Amino acid sequence: MMKKCNKVNIVLVLFLSMMSCIVNAASLKVGDKAPNFKLQATNGKFYQLSDYLGKETVVLAWYPMANTKVCTQECRSLVQKGSLIRAYNAVYMMASVDPLEDNQDFAKKENVDFPMLSDPTKATAKAYDVLNFLGVASRETFYIGQDGTILKIDDDINANTAAEDIAKNLQSLGIEKR
């Protein structure tokens, strides 16, 4: 009887832990101030949200892990069709909790021409509520206005059409063209 109770308790604790991850993922919403971040990119520079306030819309695309199939598809879309996004007064970045070296390797392989940010401490991923129970970022894209507020959170990402979808979202949000 005692072994059965312990197993039930373990399953219950695991279930509640996973549910708390799901509940946390919904805490940021449209209209909230986006958490500031300062993360290093694959080009060695540091990028922070506050640098873009009053200047450009920021598109922050979180992805789970460098050099994986779907993340590579999303990255290739942004590389190949990034001009669709650059037509708008917006800057776009990809971010993951991968170590900088992993993202540098990924960026080099894919000829990345935009900031690819690393958050190895996972602090920014936690602030954006994208850190999932596997310890990696969920695939979510945040559209952050010039005033620092979240305009849109997209968690329905098609990796193959990511650039086109971002451009359509920028248009529907009324972001001006350059």
Side-chain angles (χ1 to χ4, degrees), residues 101-164:
E101 298 77 25
D102 291 357
N103 275 340
Q104 286 173 324
D105 175 62
F106 187 37
K108 185 177 180 181
K109 284 181 188 174
E110 299 304 324
N111 297 311
V112 170
D113 60 352
F114 54 85
M116 186 168 268
L117 310 176
S118 291
D119 179 24
T121 69
K122 303 179 182 183
T124 303
K126 288 176 185 173
Y128 275 81
D129 295 321
V130 296
L131 194 64
N132 63 36
F133 69 94
L134 297 174
V136 299
S138 297
R139 190 176 314 281
E140 291 187 47
T141 301
F142 288 79
Y143 296 78
I144 304 165
Q146 292 181 25
D147 64 353
T149 61
I150 298 172
L151 303 174
K152 180 178 178 71
I153 303 171
D154 187 1
D155 63 359
D156 186 23
I157 312 298
N158 180 331
N160 291 315
T161 61
E164 295 98 318

Side-chain angles (χ1 to χ4, degrees), residues 61-119:
W62 286 94
Y63 66 99
M65 191 177 294
N67 295 302
T68 57
K69 183 180 179 181
V70 179
C71 295
T72 299
Q73 291 169 340
E74 182 179 7
C75 183
R76 285 181 182 163
S77 173
L78 297 177
V79 168
Q80 294 167 359
K81 298 199 175 174
S83 61
L84 298 172
I85 303 167
R86 287 189 297 274
Y88 291 88
N89 187 32
V91 60
Y92 61 102
M93 308 170 187
M94 288 183 77
S96 75
V97 298
D98 290 313
L100 182 61
E101 298 77 25
D102 291 357
N103 275 340
Q104 286 173 324
D105 175 62
F106 187 37
K108 185 177 180 181
K109 284 181 188 174
E110 299 304 324
N111 297 311
V112 170
D113 60 352
F114 54 85
M116 186 168 268
L117 310 176
S118 291
D119 179 24

Side-chain angles (χ1 to χ4, degrees), residues 21-83:
C21 290
I22 292 168
V23 170
N24 286 341
S27 65
L28 278 180
K29 59 190 178 309
V30 171
D32 288 348
K33 284 288 183 189
N36 193 27
F37 58 82
K38 183 177 183 180
L39 298 172
Q40 191 170 17
T42 54
N43 61 11
K45 296 179 184 176
F46 283 87
Y47 290 81
Q48 56 188 7
L49 178 61
S50 58
D51 289 342
Y52 298 94
L53 295 180
K55 299 175 187 171
E56 293 178 288
T57 297
V58 173
V59 180
L60 182 61
W62 286 94
Y63 66 99
M65 191 177 294
N67 295 302
T68 57
K69 183 180 179 181
V70 179
C71 295
T72 299
Q73 291 169 340
E74 182 179 7
C75 183
R76 285 181 182 163
S77 173
L78 297 177
V79 168
Q80 294 167 359
K81 298 199 175 174
S83 61

